Coordinates of all heavy atoms in Angstrom, one line a residue:
S482 N 5.3 46.1 4.3 CA 5.7 44.9 3.6 C 6.8 45.3 2.5 O 7.8 44.7 2.4 CB 4.5 44.2 3.0 OG 5.0 43.1 2.2
W483 N 6.5 46.4 1.8 CA 7.4 46.9 0.8 C 8.8 47.2 1.5 O 9.8 46.8 1.0 CB 6.9 48.1 0.1 CG 5.6 48.0 -0.7 CD1 5.1 46.8 -1.2 CD2 4.7 49.0 -1.0 NE1 3.9 47.1 -1.8 CE2 3.7 48.5 -1.7 CE3 4.7 50.4 -0.8 CZ2 2.6 49.2 -2.2 CZ3 3.7 51.2 -1.3 CH2 2.6 50.6 -2.0
A484 N 8.7 47.9 2.6 CA 9.9 48.3 3.3 C 10.7 47.1 3.8 O 11.9 47.1 3.8 CB 9.5 49.2 4.5
R485 N 10.0 46.1 4.3 CA 10.6 44.9 4.8 C 11.4 44.2 3.6 O 12.5 43.8 3.8 CB 9.6 43.9 5.4 CG 10.2 42.5 5.8 CD 9.2 41.7 6.6 NE 7.9 41.6 6.0 CZ 7.6 40.7 5.1 NH1 8.5 39.8 4.7 NH2 6.4 40.6 4.6
H486 N 10.7 44.1 2.5 CA 11.4 43.4 1.4 C 12.7 44.2 1.0 O 13.7 43.6 0.7 CB 10.5 43.4 0.1 CG 9.4 42.3 0.2 ND1 8.2 42.4 0.9 CD2 9.5 41.0 -0.2 CE1 7.6 41.3 0.9 NE2 8.3 40.4 0.2
R487 N 12.6 45.5 1.0 CA 13.8 46.3 0.7 C 14.9 46.1 1.7 O 16.0 45.9 1.4 CB 13.3 47.8 0.6 CG 14.3 48.9 0.6 CD 15.0 49.2 -0.7 NE 14.2 49.0 -1.9 CZ 14.8 48.7 -3.1 NH1 16.1 48.4 -3.2 NH2 14.0 48.5 -4.1
A488 N 14.5 46.2 3.0 CA 15.5 46.0 4.1 C 16.2 44.7 4.1 O 17.4 44.6 4.2 CB 14.8 46.3 5.4
M489 N 15.4 43.6 3.8 CA 16.0 42.3 3.8 C 16.9 42.1 2.6 O 17.9 41.5 2.6 CB 14.8 41.2 3.8 CG 14.1 41.1 5.1 SD 15.2 40.7 6.5 CE 14.6 42.0 7.6
H490 N 16.5 42.7 1.5 CA 17.3 42.7 0.3 C 18.7 43.3 0.6 O 19.7 42.8 0.2 CB 16.6 43.4 -0.9 CG 17.5 43.9 -2.0 ND1 18.1 43.0 -2.9 CD2 18.1 45.1 -2.3 CE1 18.8 43.7 -3.8 NE2 18.9 44.9 -3.4
E491 N 18.7 44.5 1.3 CA 20.0 45.2 1.6 C 20.9 44.2 2.4 O 22.1 44.2 2.2 CB 19.7 46.5 2.3 CG 19.0 47.6 1.5 CD 19.8 48.0 0.3 OE1 21.0 47.9 0.3 OE2 19.1 48.5 -0.7
K492 N 20.3 43.5 3.3 CA 21.1 42.6 4.2 C 21.6 41.5 3.4 O 22.8 41.1 3.5 CB 20.2 42.1 5.3 CG 19.9 43.2 6.3 CD 19.2 42.7 7.5 CE 18.9 43.8 8.5 NZ 18.5 43.4 9.8
L493 N 20.8 40.9 2.6 CA 21.2 39.7 1.7 C 22.3 40.2 0.8 O 23.4 39.5 0.6 CB 20.1 39.1 0.9 CG 20.4 38.0 0.0 CD1 20.8 36.7 0.8 CD2 19.3 37.6 -0.9
K494 N 22.1 41.4 0.2 CA 23.1 41.9 -0.8 C 24.5 42.1 -0.1 O 25.5 41.7 -0.7 CB 22.6 43.2 -1.3 CG 23.5 43.9 -2.2 CD 22.9 45.1 -2.9 CE 23.1 46.4 -2.1 NZ 23.9 47.4 -2.4
A495 N 24.5 42.6 1.1 CA 25.7 42.9 1.8 C 26.4 41.5 2.0 O 27.7 41.4 1.8 CB 25.5 43.6 3.1
G496 N 25.7 40.5 2.4 CA 26.3 39.2 2.6 C 26.8 38.5 1.3 O 27.9 38.0 1.3
L497 N 26.0 38.6 0.3 CA 26.4 38.0 -1.0 C 27.6 38.7 -1.5 O 28.6 38.0 -2.0 CB 25.2 38.1 -2.0 CG 24.0 37.3 -1.7 CD1 22.9 37.6 -2.7 CD2 24.3 35.8 -1.8
E498 N 27.7 40.0 -1.4 CA 28.8 40.7 -1.9 C 30.1 40.4 -1.1 O 31.2 40.3 -1.6 CB 28.6 42.2 -2.0 CG 27.6 42.5 -3.2 CD 27.1 43.9 -3.3 OE1 27.4 44.7 -2.4 OE2 26.5 44.2 -4.4
G499 N 29.8 40.1 0.2 CA 30.9 39.7 1.1 C 31.5 38.3 0.7 O 32.6 38.0 0.9
L500 N 30.6 37.5 0.0 CA 31.1 36.2 -0.4 C 31.7 36.3 -1.8 O 32.1 35.4 -2.5 CB 30.0 35.2 -0.5 CG 29.3 34.8 0.8 CD1 28.1 33.9 0.6 CD2 30.4 34.0 1.7
G501 N 31.8 37.6 -2.3 CA 32.4 37.8 -3.6 C 31.5 37.6 -4.8 O 31.9 37.4 -6.0
L502 N 30.2 37.5 -4.5 CA 29.2 37.2 -5.6 C 28.7 38.5 -6.2 O 28.6 39.5 -5.5 CB 28.0 36.4 -5.0 CG 28.5 35.0 -4.5 CD1 27.4 34.4 -3.6 CD2 28.7 34.1 -5.7
R503 N 28.5 38.5 -7.5 CA 28.1 39.7 -8.3 C 26.7 39.6 -8.8 O 26.2 38.6 -9.2 CB 29.0 39.9 -9.5 CG 30.4 40.4 -9.1 CD 31.2 40.8 -10.4 NE 31.2 39.7 -11.4 CZ 30.6 39.8 -12.6 NH1 30.0 40.9 -13.0 NH2 30.7 38.8 -13.4
Y504 N 26.0 40.8 -8.7 CA 24.6 40.8 -9.1 C 24.5 40.9 -10.7 O 25.4 41.5 -11.3 CB 23.9 42.1 -8.5 CG 23.2 41.8 -7.2 CD1 23.9 41.7 -6.0 CD2 21.8 41.5 -7.2 CE1 23.3 41.4 -4.8 CE2 21.2 41.2 -6.0 CZ 21.9 41.2 -4.8 OH 21.3 40.9 -3.6
V505 N 23.4 40.4 -11.2 CA 23.2 40.4 -12.7 C 22.7 41.8 -13.1 O 23.1 42.3 -14.1 CB 22.2 39.3 -13.1 CG1 21.9 39.4 -14.6 CG2 22.8 37.9 -12.7
V506 N 21.7 42.3 -12.3 CA 21.0 43.5 -12.7 C 21.6 44.7 -12.1 O 22.1 44.7 -10.9 CB 19.5 43.3 -12.2 CG1 18.7 44.6 -12.5 CG2 18.8 42.1 -12.8
E507 N 21.7 45.8 -12.8 CA 22.3 47.0 -12.3 C 21.4 47.5 -11.2 O 20.2 47.3 -11.2 CB 22.5 48.0 -13.4 CG 21.3 48.7 -13.9 CD 21.6 49.9 -14.7 OE1 22.1 49.8 -15.8 OE2 21.3 51.0 -14.2
E508 N 22.0 48.3 -10.3 CA 21.4 48.6 -9.0 C 20.0 49.3 -9.2 O 19.1 49.0 -8.5 CB 22.3 49.5 -8.2 CG 21.9 49.6 -6.7 CD 23.1 49.7 -5.8 OE1 24.2 49.8 -6.2 OE2 22.8 49.6 -4.5
S509 N 19.9 50.2 -10.1 CA 18.7 51.0 -10.3 C 17.5 50.2 -10.6 O 16.3 50.5 -10.4 CB 18.9 52.1 -11.3 OG 19.2 51.5 -12.5
A510 N 17.7 49.0 -11.3 CA 16.5 48.2 -11.7 C 16.4 46.9 -10.9 O 15.6 46.0 -11.3 CB 16.7 47.8 -13.2
R511 N 17.1 46.8 -9.8 CA 17.2 45.5 -9.1 C 15.9 45.3 -8.3 O 15.4 46.2 -7.5 CB 18.3 45.6 -8.1 CG 19.3 44.5 -8.3 CD 20.5 44.7 -7.4 NE 21.7 44.9 -8.2 CZ 22.9 45.4 -7.6 NH1 22.9 45.7 -6.4 NH2 23.9 45.5 -8.4
L512 N 15.3 44.1 -8.3 CA 14.2 43.8 -7.5 C 14.6 43.3 -6.2 O 15.4 42.4 -6.1 CB 13.4 42.6 -8.2 CG 12.4 42.8 -9.3 CD1 12.1 41.5 -9.9 CD2 11.2 43.5 -8.7
P513 N 14.1 43.9 -5.1 CA 14.5 43.4 -3.8 C 14.1 41.9 -3.6 O 14.8 41.1 -2.9 CB 13.7 44.3 -2.8 CG 12.8 45.1 -3.6 CD 13.2 45.0 -5.0
Q514 N 13.0 41.5 -4.1 CA 12.5 40.1 -3.8 C 13.0 39.0 -4.7 O 12.7 37.9 -4.5 CB 10.9 40.1 -3.9 CG 10.3 40.5 -5.2 CD 10.1 41.9 -5.4 OE1 11.0 42.7 -5.2 NE2 8.9 42.4 -5.7
L515 N 13.9 39.4 -5.7 CA 14.5 38.4 -6.6 C 15.9 38.8 -6.9 O 16.1 39.7 -7.7 CB 13.6 38.2 -7.9 CG 13.8 36.9 -8.7 CD1 15.1 36.9 -9.5 CD2 13.8 35.7 -7.8
N516 N 16.8 38.1 -6.2 CA 18.2 38.5 -6.3 C 18.9 37.6 -7.2 O 19.2 36.4 -6.9 CB 18.9 38.4 -4.9 CG 18.3 39.5 -3.9 OD1 18.9 40.5 -3.7 ND2 17.1 39.2 -3.4
S517 N 19.3 38.0 -8.4 CA 20.0 37.1 -9.3 C 21.5 37.5 -9.3 O 21.9 38.6 -9.4 CB 19.4 37.2 -10.7 OG 19.3 38.5 -11.2
I518 N 22.3 36.4 -9.1 CA 23.7 36.6 -9.0 C 24.4 35.6 -10.0 O 23.9 34.6 -10.3 CB 24.2 36.3 -7.6 CG1 23.6 35.0 -7.0 CG2 23.9 37.5 -6.7 CD1 24.2 34.6 -5.7
Y519 N 25.6 36.0 -10.4 CA 26.4 35.2 -11.3 C 27.0 34.0 -10.5 O 27.5 34.2 -9.4 CB 27.5 35.9 -12.0 CG 27.0 36.9 -13.1 CD1 27.0 38.3 -12.8 CD2 26.4 36.4 -14.3 CE1 26.5 39.1 -13.8 CE2 26.0 37.3 -15.2 CZ 26.0 38.6 -15.0 OH 25.5 39.5 -16.0
V520 N 27.0 32.8 -11.1 CA 27.7 31.7 -10.6 C 29.2 31.9 -10.8 O 29.6 32.3 -11.9 CB 27.2 30.4 -11.3 CG1 28.0 29.2 -10.8 CG2 25.7 30.2 -11.1
P521 N 30.0 31.8 -9.7 CA 31.4 32.0 -9.9 C 32.0 31.1 -11.0 O 31.6 29.9 -11.1 CB 32.0 31.8 -8.5 CG 30.9 31.8 -7.6 CD 29.7 31.4 -8.3
E522 N 33.0 31.6 -11.6 CA 33.8 30.8 -12.6 C 34.2 29.4 -12.1 O 34.6 29.3 -11.0 CB 35.0 31.6 -13.0 CG 35.7 31.3 -14.3 CD 34.9 31.9 -15.5 OE1 34.4 33.0 -15.3 OE2 34.8 31.2 -16.5

Side-chain angles (χ1 to χ4, degrees):
S482 176
W483 299 336
R485 173 170 52 85
H486 283 86
R487 164 82 31 211
M489 290 302 132
H490 160 76
E491 293 299 336
K492 291 185 178 194
L493 179 69
K494 176 172 89 110
L497 291 173
E498 288 175 349
L500 293 174
L502 296 162
R503 283 190 308 117
Y504 270 80
V505 173
V506 176
E507 75 166 69
E508 196 147 7
S509 62
R511 242 174 241 167
L512 276 169
Q514 63 271 54
L515 199 284
N516 295 258
S517 51
I518 47 172
Y519 288 109
V520 176
E522 203 73 40

